[in-house]
Amino acid sequence: AKEIRMLDIKTEAKQLIIRPEDFRIRQRKDKNRFRVEAVHFYGNLFELSLAYRDFEIRVATTHDRFQVGDKVEISYIQPKRN
């Protein structure tokens, strides 16, 4: 639950499954909490393993600019429902 609050996701759920592509990842000058632990290429996207304290998360991106050791910030992108 604290991880959900950390990502600023509004929900009553105790657990939540979020698709890796529903995150925005960027490098900011003031707030880079997550460390890139691993980068895996899967043909059309990169999957980044990110860590902050004891919290780990996987994020998908089409950008190839991230490397192991980079500090990044992520935010949740609310998917559009039809």
Side-chain angles (χ1 to χ4, degrees):
K2 70 177 179 177
E3 293 86 359
I4 294 170
R5 287 191 307 274
M6 183 173 73
L7 295 172
D8 198 28
I9 298 171
K10 311 253 185 302
T11 182
E12 297 296 319
K14 300 259 188 231
Q15 293 183 331
L16 188 62
I17 297 173
I18 302 172
R19 296 181 59 87
E21 59 271 18
D22 289 340
F23 288 97
R24 174 178 293 136
I25 181 170
R26 58 190 168 172
Q27 292 176 304
R28 296 177 58 183
K29 292 181 181 177
D30 59 338
K31 279 174 109 177
N32 292 318
R33 290 186 285 190
F34 291 85
R35 182 180 186 280
V36 178
E37 297 290 322
V39 179
H40 301 283
F41 180 62
Y42 293 109
N44 63 338
L45 62 85
F46 294 86
E47 183 183 83
L48 307 178
S49 295
L50 307 176
Y52 174 69
R53 296 184 182 165
D54 61 347
F55 179 57
E56 293 185 29
I57 191 167
R58 281 185 250 156
V59 177
T61 181
T62 57
H63 300 288
D64 64 352
R65 65 179 174 257
F66 302 105
Q67 299 177 5
V68 172
D70 285 351
K71 295 286 191 166
V72 298
E73 187 61 26
I74 60 173
S75 56
Y76 174 63
I77 303 168
Q78 182 71 36
K80 294 179 182 176
R81 303 282 188 238
N82 293 334

